Amino acid sequence: MCHRFYMGLALEEAKKALVAGEVPIGAVITYKGEIIARGHNLKETYQDPTAHAEMVVIREAAKKLQSWRLDDCTLYVTLEPCPMCAGAIVQARIPTLVYGATDLKAGAVESVVNLVQHKLLNHQAEVLAGIREEECKQILQDFFQLKRND
């Protein structure tokens, strides 16, 4: 399968978040090409500041693989990860990160800081950015436009 396909699944998750009143960010993790985790933001639902889409799927994938080391996994997420999520990617040893839209205010992959490829950390992830970027950006823009109009 191609990166666009899996990002499409992450976008489906983002739409679920939108319906639930969450910031529409979705994520998918694959292991050797097989989908092992899907999820979206749940911060409002759980009143949990750590319930970002990436954290949700990292926890699910670790449980499924019965290992905190997510070797041979690829994380797809619709928005550039924040520092917390970037740190979790490093801690989980995820080798490949694919994301859609950049986050100019809190992005910790290229926009504000690059934690997932920092040379002093014990793990660096390969990064592919801008996959289905316009779609990923648009769902967020639409959400925040609606919020401003409320």
Side-chain angles (χ1 to χ4, degrees):
M1 294 286 171
C2 73
H3 296 310
R4 287 184 54 79
F5 173 78
Y6 292 119
M7 188 60 73
L9 297 178
L11 278 161
E12 287 177 16
E13 289 296 322
K15 290 173 186 170
K16 290 178 186 176
L18 181 67
V19 169
E22 299 277 357
V23 175
I25 300 170
V28 170
I29 291 183
T30 62
Y31 173 71
K32 297 182 179 180
E34 177 188 336
I35 298 162
I36 60 167
R38 294 174 66 138
H40 53 273
N41 271 6
L42 292 167
K43 280 174 61 172
E44 298 297 333
T45 301
Y46 295 151
Q47 291 298 298
D48 178 354
T50 70
H52 291 199
E54 300 95 311
M55 301 297 285
V56 169
V57 295
I58 288 170
R59 287 180 187 122
E60 184 180 330
K63 186 174 181 179
K64 184 159 192 172
L65 294 178
Q66 297 182 337
S67 176
W68 60 267
R69 290 181 184 88
L70 300 183
D71 300 323
D72 298 315
C73 289
T74 300
L75 169 61
Y76 295 86
V77 62
T78 57
L79 184 66
E80 177 182 2
C82 73
M84 174 184 65
C85 295
I89 291 164
V90 170
Q91 290 298 313
R93 312 296 196 270
I94 295 173
T96 307
L97 166 65
V98 180
Y99 71 89
T102 57
D103 185 347
L104 299 176
K105 294 181 180 179
V109 177
E110 67 177 335
S111 297
V112 177
V113 66
N114 186 340
L115 290 179
V116 300
Q117 295 178 322
H118 196 287
K119 301 289 186 237
L120 296 178
L121 296 177
N122 62 341
H123 173 77
Q124 292 82 39
E126 175 187 7
V127 176
L128 296 158
I131 306 299
R132 298 181 75 160
E133 181 176 15
E134 288 306 313
E135 294 165 87
C136 294
K137 221 187 290 188
Q138 193 63 55
I139 193 170
L140 286 161
Q141 288 173 343
D142 292 348
F143 173 79
F144 287 113
Q145 184 64 44
L146 284 171
K147 286 288 186 195
R148 282 190 289 279
N149 291 336
D150 282 350

